[in-house]
Amino acid sequence: MNLRERQVVIGGIFVLITLIFIGRLIQMQLYSSEWKEYAARLTEETEQLEPARGLMLDRNGQILLNNMAGYDIWFTPRKCRTAGGLDTMAFAEILRMTPAELEREFRRAEAYASYRPSIIRKQIPAEHFARIAGELYRFPGAEARRRTIRTNPTGLASHLVGEYREVDQNDMASNSRYRLGDYKGKSGLELQWDQALHGKRGIRHHIVDIRNDYRAPAQEGLLDTLPTPGQDIQLTLDLDLQAYGENIMANKRGAIVAIEPSTGEVLAMVSAPSYATDLLTGRERGSNYDSLLNHPSKPLFNRTLRATYRPGSIFKMIQGLIALDRGVIRPSSRIYCDRNIIGCHGGHTLDNLEEAIVHSCNPYFHEVMKRMIQDGSSGNIFRDAHNNLGAWSESIRAFGMGTNLGGHFPALRSGTVPDTTDYDRMYGRKRWAYSTIYSISIGEGELLTTPIHMANLAAVLANRGHYVTPHVIQHIGDLGKPEEMNQRFDTGIDPIHFETVIRAMAQVVTAEDGTGSRAQVPGFDVCGKTGTVQNSQGNHSVFIAFAPKNNPQIALSVYVENAGSGGDWAAPIASLMIERYLNGTVEQREKEDRILQATYPFPESPL
Amino acid sequence: MRRTAPIIQRIDWLTVAIVVILMAIGLFNVASATAGADAVDWFDWGSKQGKQFMWVALAMILAGLILVIEGEFFIRTAAIYYFVNLLLLVAVLAVGRTIGGAKSWFSFGSIGIQPSEFAKTGTALMLAWLLSRNNERISNRNNLVKAILIVAIPAGLILLQPDAGTVLVFGGMILVFYREGLSGNVLIAVFCALLIAIATILTGASLFEYPAIGSASAVGILWFILAVLGTFIWSMIPQWVLPRKRKRVRRAVVFSFIAGLVMSAALHTGLEEVLKPHQKDRIHVLFGIDVGNPDADYNIRHAKAAVSSGSWTGKGYLQGPMTAYGFVPEQETDFIFCTIGEEWGFVGTVFTLLLYTLLMLRILHLAERQRSDFTRIFAYAAASVLFMHYLINIGMVLGLAPVIGIPLPFISAGGSSMLGFTLLIFILLRLDAERFTVLR
């Protein structure tokens, strides 16, 4: 090769290298997205904009759950280090932490990421923050970010409202929406309506520098979205009645559930003892939670929905109604009070239905149920029981017993209405007859209900044969009440039969010797029925009632654990609740004082 | 063209234009890289881009001065210039200032001068002077040794600083030797050596289970393959080669085999024993070998991300977040191409690459139109130096070459390289302008 021609080889090498470079640039700049995505990860950061969480109001617009301004303190270890560290003692002091706690938070932040901020102190209320805001600059790496603190200023209805708190590992694993430090509803309405209350997050895209500080909006802010605030939820609760109920139930264990019969709207749900919601939302949650959890009266236990009791005498009214409906008795049918079969009390001997309810006659209802279960149709008492119990259970369930009442309370326990299969399992197929199971005829035995089931029963009686699914939601945002909240359930029993029972209930309250005379409310016809639930630690005092008799505005159940007979304690409490709701005030001072001073079952360490 | 036409009409304006455009690209991008997130202050003479402005102005003055000096002056003073450079290279080892681990700077207040940037021109002049004397052909072994020494002495001094990048640039002089008559096999040999080097690095980094001695570096497998290959070629010589040439070819095969083995062994040892851990990591990172240190390829990851994020037309001048917010290291000097890539995109990068290619090819063209051997050899040396800077710097930014700090000619911030390259190009232009008037 002529030496002069070697310029082609050398020039060729130059061109070849340029072509290789251009090929590489085509791959890097035009074709592959790998490095572009890496660049975006390095230079862009999205900031989640939390929407304001929806408030909760009562039926009159009074605020139950509110948001309060607060601040979290975030800390970036690397920034602190490059700036030469900080005075831990002074920092701990303004944050109101011990130096040891602060050191632990520093270590945790370091372990998470030294160049990213993490929260070292949560939920500083606005008034505390105002005092320390001016000091914060002295501590490099620290910054304050606004957040809202959920608060229940009245401290009422804590069981119903539920908990709103920081997500844990499980939440983050099950839903990618949640990031460390996010909050969510964990129980009660806060959980059930979490999405509606939460609203929609906004996103702001930032360009960050090598230290991960926000420097400029990314994409000129075109991809940014504003947060959509959560929807306010109006409840059917009457906060005044709720507050009154919680007040008179102080120092007692038990529950009150009050329902507006015509609509199924729950007016009050008192579970005693109660606690202040805010105990479980703030920084002290951990220790508060432990002491509440370990308290002997189980304040965290929502008795209105989850405590199951045997219905006792109150159940006799249902027995009477379905017996009338099936024609096994007429209102005038009299049955001999045979105390050899089953014990009874009082001085009656041959009651009709109305009297039997007033006297709570056990043999009467033993006989009534016997006629339904052991009707002799098959000529075998075992087969009779086996054939007839199913239909009987169905009739009981039509009153809401043993059902979820339409399903608007996820925490609700359905209770138990025993069925053929249940007894088959317990005793063996056709190994049981009415004589085996007769205790359910007077509301004992395997029957179990909750306070809300019993309040709903009061509503069924008030409505003369139907109920609307009990619910607490009045409005969600401006969408109004969800349609399914108006669902109506019918017992299928002729309303005419109810009049007999209701007359009896009026008698219970108004009769001179009526067991429920303490339930009287001056100026109103109260219908009620006492119950005394057998319990080894002292019987539970139970009362259900509705008023006024002819235009019922309120139906309720009252449970006071270990307090004795239904007429002594539950009935006067029902009276006070009815008076408070219908009159707005309570004139029966004596009655009120007697209840307020009572502590059941025994004095305990205060909450 | 008249032989007596003024110099202004005889210089190659195309080359001047390319250089000026490159300098302008440099100024704008250095300004962007320097300003970061702030607005560019064009009149802040203390900033890096202000200094760069000053260096460009000085380079223009220097270019003007060179153009009015007779070409003969450079030829006659080539040896002096070369030896002064050698002295400076020795002096810098004694009194130089260490920046970035290399003792390669004379510092005068805030200004540093890097003698190695000027030594390239000196070496080119000296090489041209030696090889252009009557009948001093490089095919003569004596002359080859002299030529190699001329390159090796400054390269050796620079290696002591140590500045591996600049040493590699001197290695580029092999293109000059090739053009002046060194066997073409040399280029093939360089290519083969590169292949063996890459294979050594790749195999050297992986462990292999040997039944007898347990686990060891797999580089032995490479040597085994070399031996098999050598034996195969040796055995095929009777079939492939004419009888009278067989003896020479056999010698070449034996020599190549031994050289390959020795080089591989030396490189392997060097990699394991001589290089500092971070240098070894840089080489391993280049080949995608996991070095167990996420920070080892931090620079190059960010550089690649910056270039890549430019896409077709870039983020716009002064709009690149990686440039503005400090993600790219050394971004106004060795990694300036990242700024071009991020802010000007594919259009900008390819434009820059094409400018360099055009410049190098133009210099080859100038070289070949000379009657003077001196000018031709000097031109080839200049093209080789430019090429090596181009190859190493852009190869590094694109992740095709290991991270070796070396400036991008006329674009990277820095006075020494700016003045050094100006010297190189404008001496060539002055010599070229005299190609009709002076007969050498």
Side-chain angles (χ1 to χ4, degrees):
Chain A
M1 196 195 271
N2 181 336
L3 288 184
R4 217 179 151 75
E5 288 169 7
R6 290 190 169 184
Q7 64 167 310
V8 179
V9 175
I10 296 173
I13 294 174
F14 295 172
V15 171
L16 178 70
I17 294 297
T18 297
L19 289 179
I20 291 174
F21 285 169
I22 291 178
R24 174 70 163 172
L25 285 169
I26 288 174
Q27 182 213 353
M28 281 171 67
Q29 295 190 295
L30 308 183
Y31 182 73
S32 158
S33 57
E34 179 196 348
W35 290 104
K36 286 193 189 68
E37 283 161 10
Y38 181 63
R41 278 207 302 283
L42 286 174
T43 59
E44 286 175 25
E45 183 94 334
T46 56
E47 182 191 10
Q48 307 270 356
L49 304 175
E50 279 299 319
R53 194 168 173 86
L55 308 180
M56 267 189 218
L57 312 163
D58 86 336
R59 63 191 294 121
N60 302 315
Q62 205 183 328
I63 285 179
L64 175 60
L65 272 190
N66 204 347
N67 299 321
M68 196 168 75
Y71 293 83
D72 286 340
I73 303 297
W74 294 67
F75 182 73
T76 315
R78 187 186 281 177
K79 272 191 211 164
C80 178
R81 236 177 295 132
T82 50
L86 51 69
D87 179 352
T88 310
M89 295 293 280
F91 197 32
E93 195 187 322
I94 69 161
L95 295 181
R96 299 185 187 163
M97 299 166 87
T98 67
E101 279 176 330
L102 187 59
E103 289 287 354
R104 198 170 58 234
E105 294 297 332
F106 282 164
R107 278 197 298 278
R108 209 160 60 177
E110 182 71 52
Y112 169 60
S114 78
Y115 61 96
R116 277 176 197 274
S118 27
I119 302 183
I120 54 165
R121 171 73 157 86
K122 287 168 197 163
Q123 300 193 3
I124 296 183
E127 67 272 14
H128 174 194
F129 181 74
R131 280 198 295 279
I132 68 170
E135 303 279 313
L136 222 50
Y137 77 94
R138 292 199 289 131
F139 306 99
E143 58 185 311
R145 293 195 193 163
R146 248 186 87 96
R147 75 140 39 257
T148 56
I149 301 176
R150 197 69 160 163
T151 175
N152 177 345
T154 59
L156 295 172
S158 296
H159 295 99
L160 177 67
V161 163
E163 271 189 74
Y164 177 68
R165 64 178 170 92
E166 206 173 332
V167 293
D168 56 28
Q169 292 298 329
N170 292 339
D171 298 318
M172 283 185 283
S174 63
N175 190 336
S176 60
R177 183 164 80 91
Y178 297 121
R179 308 206 299 191
L180 195 69
D182 282 352
Y183 279 63
K184 66 166 288 214
K186 293 289 280 189
S187 63
L189 294 174
E190 289 272 36
L191 169 65
Q192 197 180 348
W193 299 97
D194 193 39
Q195 275 201 318
L197 289 166
H198 181 262
K200 249 182 88 179
R201 280 210 185 101
I203 290 178
R204 199 179 282 154
H205 300 263
H206 293 277
I207 290 183
V208 296
D209 64 16
I210 188 83
R211 282 171 297 278
N212 218 47
D213 282 338
Y214 296 157
R215 297 298 289 262
Q219 329 269 355
E220 284 153 4
L222 290 177
L223 297 179
D224 295 357
T225 53
L226 286 172
T228 313
Q231 284 168 314
D232 293 348
I233 292 187
Q234 183 163 34
L235 302 180
T236 62
L237 286 195
D238 183 315
L239 268 196
D240 175 69
L241 186 66
Q242 176 78 23
Y244 188 75
E246 292 196 18
N247 188 34
I248 56 178
M249 285 300 282
N251 304 318
K252 301 164 193 71
R253 294 197 297 227
I256 305 174
V257 179
I259 295 176
E260 184 176 74
S262 57
T263 57
E265 290 172 3
V266 174
L267 301 171
M269 286 182 95
V270 177
S271 177
S274 187
Y275 62 94
T277 317
D278 289 359
L279 285 177
L280 294 188
T281 55
R283 268 188 77 235
E284 312 298 331
R285 180 187 183 281
S287 59
N288 289 340
Y289 183 81
D290 287 343
S291 68
L292 287 173
L293 188 68
N294 296 324
H295 194 278
S297 292
K298 296 189 189 166
L300 291 176
F301 183 52
N302 186 354
R303 288 173 164 79
T304 58
L305 300 174
R306 301 194 57 79
T308 51
Y309 308 94
R310 281 182 295 227
S313 304
I314 295 166
F315 192 69
K316 290 169 185 165
M317 295 190 291
I318 306 181
Q319 290 281 37
L321 282 166
I322 60 177
L324 285 174
D325 194 53
R326 292 178 181 205
V328 297
I329 52 168
R330 279 172 292 123
S332 56
S333 306
R334 290 184 179 277
I335 294 171
Y336 174 60
C337 180
D338 183 353
R339 301 187 182 187
N340 295 323
I341 305 170
I342 186 168
C344 201
H345 32 73
H348 57 280
T349 51
L350 195 66
D351 281 351
N352 62 14
L353 177 59
E354 191 179 327
E355 289 160 354
I357 289 172
V358 175
H359 300 139
S360 211
C361 176
N362 289 337
Y364 187 96
F365 292 100
H366 178 275
E367 173 62 21
V368 161
M369 186 163 175
K370 190 176 176 184
R371 291 181 186 177
M372 291 189 279
I373 299 299
Q374 195 170 310
D375 58 355
S377 58
S378 66
N380 174 315
I381 56 166
F382 297 104
R383 203 172 297 148
D384 275 352
H386 192 267
N387 291 347
N388 294 325
L389 187 72
W392 178 86
S393 301
E394 264 328 292
S395 306
I396 305 299
R397 287 207 181 87
F399 286 79
M401 303 288 156
T403 74
N404 67 2
L405 295 174
H408 300 300
F409 296 95
L412 176 69
R413 279 202 181 141
S414 298
T416 311
V417 175
D419 208 336
T420 320
T421 49
D422 297 323
Y423 287 123
D424 280 350
R425 204 173 320 114
M426 284 165 70
Y427 301 110
R429 199 173 149 79
K430 297 195 179 157
R431 301 279 298 277
W432 52 275
Y434 177 60
S435 55
T436 323
I437 64 168
Y438 71 89
S439 61
I440 61 175
S441 67
I442 55 164
E444 301 290 340
E446 288 78 21
L447 284 164
L448 285 175
T449 67
T450 68
I452 194 172
H453 282 106
M454 295 307 263
N456 186 59
L457 173 60
V460 172
L461 296 165
N463 289 335
R464 278 80 169 163
H466 75 268
Y467 67 94
V468 179
T469 177
H471 58 271
V472 289
I473 303 299
Q474 187 76 281
H475 293 296
I476 294 174
D478 14 284
L479 298 176
K481 187 183 281 191
E483 190 47 45
E484 66 270 19
M485 305 272 175
N486 293 324
Q487 194 183 359
R488 181 179 149 146
F489 296 87
D490 271 288
T491 56
I493 290 170
D494 193 333
I496 204 118
H497 299 313
F498 279 86
E499 294 307 331
T500 314
V501 174
I502 288 168
R503 264 202 312 278
M505 290 173 78
Q507 276 286 312
V508 167
V509 177
T510 53
E512 203 60 27
D513 58 345
T515 52
S517 60
R518 284 191 159 117
Q520 288 172 14
V521 177
F524 295 98
D525 301 329
V526 176
C527 302
K529 177 76 188 83
T530 56
T532 305
V533 179
Q534 317 287 323
N535 188 287
S536 57
Q537 323 226 310
N539 295 342
H540 300 324
S541 172
V542 186
F543 194 77
I544 74 168
F546 66 86
K549 181 179 168 192
N550 291 323
N551 178 25
Q553 303 291 308
I554 179 170
L556 76 170
S557 70
V558 179
Y559 278 75
V560 188
E561 290 182 8
N562 313 119
S565 78
D568 284 350
W569 299 102
I573 289 173
S575 162
L576 294 169
M577 288 292 283
I578 291 168
E579 187 185 6
R580 181 73 175 199
Y581 184 65
L582 296 179
N583 268 346
T585 56
V586 171
E587 306 282 340
Q588 310 177 77
R589 286 283 164 218
E590 250 175 74
K591 201 182 266 182
E592 191 179 38
D593 287 344
R594 175 173 170 268
I595 298 297
L596 284 174
Q597 281 158 19
T599 59
Y600 277 97
F602 37 77
E604 266 173 356
S605 57
L607 282 171
Chain B
M1 194 188 292
R2 288 178 303 128
R3 292 185 174 185
T4 53
I7 184 78
I8 203 96
Q9 289 176 18
R10 283 179 285 140
I11 60 171
D12 184 52
W13 282 105
L14 176 60
T15 305
V16 175
I18 296 172
V19 166
V20 169
I21 294 172
L22 288 174
M23 285 174 171
I25 292 176
L27 267 181
F28 277 106
N29 286 291
V30 167
S32 174
T34 308
D38 310 320
V40 178
D41 183 355
W42 292 104
F43 301 102
D44 177 6
W45 304 112
S47 72
K48 283 192 174 132
Q49 118 267 338
K51 277 189 194 160
Q52 184 73 353
F53 208 83
M54 186 189 78
W55 289 121
V56 167
L58 271 178
M60 298 286 191
I61 294 168
L62 180 64
L65 279 176
I66 291 166
L67 289 179
V68 298
I69 295 172
E70 288 287 329
E72 189 66 17
F73 172 80
F74 299 110
I75 299 168
R76 286 181 183 279
T77 58
I80 298 171
Y81 184 83
Y82 178 73
F83 284 109
V84 168
N85 264 318
L86 289 188
L87 280 179
L88 288 175
L89 287 176
V90 172
V92 83
L93 288 175
V95 301
R97 195 164 148 224
T98 305
I99 294 176
K103 205 171 192 185
S104 40
W105 301 79
F106 290 119
S107 104
F108 306 101
S110 69
I111 292 170
I113 294 291
Q114 222 179 340
S116 56
E117 292 295 337
F118 299 95
K120 293 165 197 166
T121 310
T123 305
L125 283 168
M126 190 67 189
L127 204 56
W129 179 78
L130 175 83
L131 295 179
S132 64
R133 289 186 305 176
N134 286 342
N135 299 318
E136 299 276 1
R137 292 287 154 223
I138 202 159
S139 43
N140 177 319
R141 185 162 303 166
N142 222 351
N143 283 332
L144 179 61
V145 171
K146 280 188 206 163
I148 290 175
L149 276 180
I150 286 173
V151 177
I153 292 170
L157 288 170
I158 291 167
L159 190 59
L160 293 176
Q161 293 181 352
D163 178 357
T166 309
V167 174
L168 281 176
V169 171
F170 281 82
M173 293 297 183
I174 200 150
L175 291 175
V176 182
F177 296 173
Y178 169 69
R179 168 60 184 84
E180 293 308 311
L182 196 62
S183 163
N185 291 339
V186 170
L187 292 189
I188 297 172
V190 168
F191 184 70
C192 290
L194 210 60
L195 281 186
I196 294 177
I198 292 170
T200 305
I201 291 164
L202 287 178
T203 51
S206 54
L207 290 177
F208 190 82
E209 296 288 334
Y210 294 94
I213 57 170
S215 95
S217 177
V219 75
I221 293 178
L222 175 69
W223 298 340
F224 179 71
I225 292 171
L226 279 182
V228 170
L229 207 64
T231 315
F232 174 71
I233 293 171
W234 178 272
S235 69
M236 294 314 269
I237 286 173
Q239 269 85 42
W240 290 348
V241 186
L242 292 174
R244 61 188 166 86
K245 286 190 174 172
R246 278 180 195 157
K247 200 175 172 187
R248 260 182 63 201
V249 172
R250 284 207 171 100
R251 229 182 316 159
V253 168
V254 170
F255 175 78
S256 308
F257 171 66
I258 294 171
L261 266 192
V262 168
M263 198 201 84
S264 174
L267 186 70
H268 183 58
T269 316
L271 207 60
E272 297 299 324
E273 312 290 339
V274 180
L275 283 189
K276 297 188 179 77
H278 77 273
Q279 290 171 318
K280 188 179 147 191
D281 283 353
R282 281 177 179 181
I283 291 170
H284 280 174
V285 160
L286 177 68
F287 292 104
I289 298 163
D290 184 12
V291 298
N293 172 9
D295 284 346
D297 63 341
Y298 169 89
N299 286 1
I300 199 66
R301 266 198 333 245
H302 283 196
K304 283 198 263 189
V307 171
S308 182
S309 67
S311 278
W312 269 105
T313 54
K315 306 246 163 167
Y317 184 55
L318 299 175
Q319 305 293 313
M322 296 202 65
T323 296
Y325 300 123
F327 285 94
V328 184
E330 305 289 337
Q331 56 180 345
E332 67 285 330
T333 55
D334 296 345
F335 282 90
I336 191 70
F337 197 65
C338 293
T339 303
I340 300 175
E342 188 187 21
E343 300 197 335
W344 302 91
F346 186 69
V347 173
T349 52
V350 170
F351 180 70
T352 311
L353 295 187
L354 291 181
L355 276 181
Y356 278 116
T357 313
L358 188 60
L359 179 62
M360 293 185 297
L361 293 179
R362 183 67 187 172
I363 292 172
L364 292 194
H365 173 74
L366 296 185
E368 292 296 345
R369 76 183 185 186
Q370 304 301 323
R371 283 177 293 177
S372 154
D373 287 345
F374 182 94
T375 311
R376 184 187 67 243
I377 296 165
F378 182 77
Y380 266 95
S384 303
V385 168
L386 270 178
F387 172 66
M388 291 306 283
H389 275 262
Y390 173 72
L391 177 73
I392 296 169
N393 181 286
I394 293 179
M396 164 185 81
V397 172
L398 300 186
L400 299 172
V403 176
I404 297 172
I406 184 171
L408 196 56
F410 299 114
I411 292 187
S412 286
S416 302
S417 86
M418 179 65 77
L419 295 180
F421 281 110
T422 304
L423 216 52
L424 196 64
I425 298 299
F426 281 86
I427 288 176
L428 171 63
L429 290 183
R430 172 70 208 193
L431 291 170
D432 173 67
E434 292 177 357
R435 69 189 184 280
F436 297 118
T437 54
V438 181
L439 189 67
R440 293 183 191 104

